[in-house]
Amino acid sequence: MGGRTSSTWEKGTCWNGGETTTIRVPIVLKSDILAYARAVDSKLISDKSRNIPMLKGDFLQEFTLGLIDRYIELKRQNYHPNQNSRKLDTSTRAWDELRKFQKLVRESPELLGD
């Protein structure tokens, strides 16, 4: 009673990706999430496309780089000095693959797509 029905929603606000759904997100994130969704949606060519493009400098790139930084910091905080090193050294060969991945996400994220 008194609520919106499908006939009272604004017309003309369609998405290239097809049908939409309602989600609950923190208000502080609403505009960023909507901006990201619109950026991704603008890159979709058809309703059948399920590929989410990696936009240079986008949310996923920043999120991934942030997770890598947080992982390194966690390892640094939990590092136990040994006879070879008193502090965490991420320039060693053991860290090569993570550094390569970090560089790929930072410089060429489009290579991670299909």
Side-chain angles (χ1 to χ4, degrees), residues 64-74 76 102 106:
T64 304
L65 291 172
L67 285 178
I68 292 170
D69 291 342
R70 287 172 59 189
Y71 174 74
I72 292 170
E73 185 55 34
L74 178 68
R76 184 170 278 116
Q102 187 178 37
R106 196 175 271 129

Side-chain angles (χ1 to χ4, degrees), residues 41-54:
D41 187 62
S42 71
K43 299 292 183 191
L44 297 177
I45 294 170
S46 72
D47 293 347
K48 295 176 185 166
S49 174
R50 293 288 177 226
N51 297 329
I52 298 179
M54 186 71 157

Side-chain angles (χ1 to χ4, degrees), residues 53-91:
M54 186 71 157
L55 307 172
K56 190 165 180 130
D58 78 358
F59 168 79
L60 288 178
Q61 182 184 32
E62 292 304 314
F63 180 76
T64 304
L65 291 172
L67 285 178
I68 292 170
D69 291 342
R70 287 172 59 189
Y71 174 74
I72 292 170
E73 185 55 34
L74 178 68
K75 294 296 275 184
R76 184 170 278 116
Q77 289 174 1
N78 295 315
Y79 183 75
H80 300 290
N82 60 33
Q83 63 189 16
N84 298 323
S85 178
R86 293 191 185 273
K87 61 182 183 175
L88 183 68
D89 181 7
T90 58
S91 67

Side-chain angles (χ1 to χ4, degrees), residues 3-19:
R4 287 187 162 195
T5 65
S6 61
S7 63
T8 62
W9 290 103
E10 295 176 23
K11 302 293 184 204
T13 56
C14 64
W15 292 76
N16 295 324
E19 290 186 40

